[in-house]
Amino acid sequence: MIIRYERNGKVKHGWMVEEDHKVRVIEGDIYKIHTAKPIMTGLELPLDEVTLKAPSDPSKVVCIGLNYRDHAAEMGIDLPKEPLMFLKPSTTVIGPCEPIVYPKLTQNLHYEGELAVVIKKEAKKIKAADADDYILGFTCAIDVTARDLQMSDGQWTRAKGFDTFCPLGPAIAAKLDYHNLRIVTRVNGEVRQDARTDQLIFSIPQLIEAVSAVMTLRPGDVILTGTPSGVGELVPGDEISVTIEGIGTLTTHVVAEE
C-alpha cells in the first residue's frame, strides 16, 4: 500500500506496513520508474509519527457521473450512452482526516463515496485492452457536491469544485482486482451506501479509454469511477467514511466555513 505522508515539513511517498504500524520510506519519484527508479530505502518510521496526506497530488481529477444504474435511478436520470465526464480542480483534493468545509454558498451539501483510479504514466488515446498498464493503483474518494448549485447551474463546475471537495486516501492499493470490490459509505457510523464495483455501467478500462481520448492523463492524475445509490446530505459536525475492500477506510468530517 503506497501512502504519501508529511514529516518534519517534508512530503514523501512510503510503503505502509499496516500489521507493524510502520512506514517504509521511499526516496525518489514513484512515477519516474523508467528514468529514475524510486528507491525503497529500508528506513522505517512509526505510522503515528507521520501525517497522512492525499496519496496522490493530481494535476486534475476526472469524475464520471451516473456510472451505477441504481444511482441514475435515484436521481431520476436516464442511463448515459457513454461516460459522463466532469472535472474537479486539484485544489479540491485533501487527505485523510482533513476537514470538508461546508461553503456558505450552498444549503445542500451531499456525499458520494467512490472508487478512485490513480494513473501511473502519461496516457493519451489508450485502448481499454491496454488500460491496466497505465494504472498505478486504487484509493477511496468522496465526491462532495453542492447539490442545490448543481441543479441550479445546469453544469457542475461550481457544485463540485470548492476547495476540500475531493478527499482521497488513505493509501493506494497498487495491485488489486478491481472488478468486484465492496464499497461502503458511512455517516456518523450509519451505513448510507453499500454496493459492489461489478455494478458499474462502464468498466474501469472503458473509462480510461474514454477519458484519454479527450485529454492527456498525467502521472498521479485521478479518475473517480462514479457513486452508487444512497447519496445524501451532510451537515457540519458529521463524520463520513468510505471503506473499499482491499484498500481500507478514508475518514473525514465536515466543518462550517468561517
Side-chain angles (χ1 to χ4, degrees):
M1 301 282 280
I2 300 169
I3 64 168
R4 186 167 158 267
Y5 68 90
E6 183 175 0
R7 183 173 183 264
N8 296 330
K10 296 182 179 180
V11 177
K12 294 184 177 182
H13 282 97
W15 187 266
M16 184 164 62
V17 186
E18 290 184 274
E19 59 271 21
D20 296 331
H21 303 285
K22 292 183 178 180
V23 178
R24 291 178 184 159
V25 177
I26 298 173
E27 291 291 350
D29 189 336
I30 64 170
Y31 300 106
K32 293 183 178 179
I33 56 175
H34 300 297
T35 58
K37 190 173 182 179
I39 299 171
M40 191 77 74
T41 63
L43 176 64
E44 292 187 340
L45 301 170
L47 192 57
D48 60 6
E49 288 187 7
V50 305
T51 300
L52 290 183
K53 307 292 286 183
S56 181
D57 184 21
S59 71
K60 55 187 171 294
V61 178
V62 186
C63 306
I64 307 299
L66 302 173
N67 202 27
Y68 285 79
R69 294 176 185 276
D70 53 0
H71 177 52
E74 77 175 343
M75 298 297 289
I77 300 174
D78 293 338
L79 294 181
K81 293 181 171 56
E82 56 186 350
L84 175 60
M85 302 175 207
F86 60 94
L87 293 174
K88 284 180 175 283
S90 60
T91 47
T92 60
V93 174
I94 56 173
C97 299
E98 292 185 68
I100 298 166
V101 177
Y102 195 125
K104 294 178 181 178
L105 289 175
T106 181
Q107 303 299 316
N108 191 12
L109 195 72
H110 276 212
Y111 60 84
E112 299 182 10
E114 307 201 15
L115 174 69
V117 184
V118 182
I119 299 299
K120 72 177 178 182
K121 58 184 179 180
E122 186 170 298
K124 183 176 177 64
K125 297 184 178 178
I126 304 304
K127 296 300 182 185
D130 301 320
D132 284 356
D133 293 337
Y134 294 81
I135 297 173
L136 176 66
F138 300 86
T139 194
C140 307
I142 305 169
D143 174 12
V144 184
T145 304
R147 194 70 75 195
D148 49 354
L149 302 183
Q150 182 184 27
M151 297 304 179
S152 66
D153 287 0
Q155 55 81 36
W156 300 355
T157 300
R158 184 165 65 136
K160 302 280 192 174
F162 286 90
D163 292 355
T164 76
F165 270 26
C166 189
L168 296 175
I172 299 171
K175 294 182 179 179
L176 188 64
D177 183 351
Y178 53 80
H179 295 91
N180 188 21
L181 301 173
R182 187 182 182 194
I183 176 170
V184 179
T185 303
R186 293 178 174 87
V187 177
N188 301 323
E190 178 184 343
V191 173
R192 299 290 182 85
Q193 295 179 287
D194 191 347
R196 303 195 73 90
T197 57
D198 65 350
Q199 299 168 19
L200 291 173
I201 297 170
F202 300 103
S203 70
I204 288 167
Q206 287 175 317
L207 296 181
I208 291 174
E209 177 174 320
V211 173
S212 68
V214 176
M215 66 191 80
T216 300
L217 293 166
R218 304 293 189 193
D221 280 353
V222 170
I223 299 175
L224 304 193
T225 58
T227 195
S229 65
V231 301
E233 192 169 359
L234 291 171
V235 297
D238 280 347
E239 180 183 86
I240 179 169
S241 67
V242 176
T243 301
I244 301 180
E245 188 177 5
I247 300 173
T249 300
L250 167 65
T251 302
T252 186
H253 59 284
V254 183
V255 300
E257 183 179 19
E258 295 181 357

